[in-house]
Amino acid sequence: MELTLGIPALLFPAISLTMLAYNARYLAIAALIRQLHQKYQETESVSIGLQVQKLRRRLTIIKNMQATAIVSFLLAVITMTLIYAEFTFWANLIFSISLFALMISLVLSLIEVQLSTKALEIQLKDMEK
């Protein structure tokens, strides 16, 4: 299959939408951390402490999700430049790396969703008592 300028360009809207979703997750977690921080200072609840631990890990994962998505985006731009300069071998190689970075970002997103679910389970258990 021949790599044309249109193929890496297809990643632009996908990566942009992915980054918007990642940013929304980050902002939601930041707001939640601020709320939990205030509650923890008032009550020093164990369940809030557990939630904060999960949130700290989720923030790290989201940071890595964003970083790999950005790398994927940059590599797609480099691929287009290489295609334009007719460096076909390098364009194919860089585009492959770009796709791999996007896959890593999506896997990290899946892991973050799993952690989010566990944090909600902690809160639900606390409410059941």
Side-chain angles (χ1 to χ4, degrees):
M1 180 176 107
E2 184 179 339
L3 189 61
T4 63
L5 283 172
I7 295 173
L10 289 173
L11 287 183
F12 284 32
I15 294 172
S16 296
L17 289 173
T18 301
M19 300 249 339
L20 281 172
Y22 293 170
N23 194 39
R25 285 182 183 175
Y26 175 81
L27 293 174
I29 290 174
L32 182 58
I33 287 173
R34 288 182 185 99
Q35 289 174 357
L36 288 176
H37 181 263
Q38 184 179 1
K39 284 183 185 178
Y40 184 76
Q41 286 183 329
E42 294 169 359
T43 65
E44 294 189 21
S45 168
V46 174
S47 68
I48 291 175
L50 290 172
Q51 288 181 49
V52 169
Q53 288 175 356
K54 300 280 185 201
L55 289 171
R56 180 177 286 126
R57 183 153 184 239
R58 286 177 61 195
L59 279 177
T60 301
I61 291 171
I62 289 173
K63 176 186 70 172
N64 292 331
M65 287 165 30
Q66 290 174 328
T68 54
I70 290 168
V71 167
S72 178
F73 201 15
L74 288 172
L75 291 176
V77 171
I78 292 169
T79 298
M80 292 177 71
T81 305
L82 291 170
I83 291 169
Y84 184 72
E86 297 182 0
F87 292 114
T88 308
F89 171 78
W90 292 107
N92 284 315
L93 180 66
I94 298 298
F95 187 63
S96 298
I97 296 169
S98 175
L99 289 176
F100 185 69
L102 184 57
M103 284 191 299
I104 291 172
S105 179
L106 293 172
V107 167
L108 288 172
S109 178
L110 177 64
I111 292 168
E112 194 273 332
V113 167
Q114 298 298 320
L115 282 175
S116 173
T117 303
K118 288 179 184 176
L120 289 173
E121 287 174 5
I122 291 170
Q123 203 166 18
L124 288 173
K125 284 181 185 176
D126 192 40
M127 289 173 52
E128 290 173 350
K129 291 180 182 180

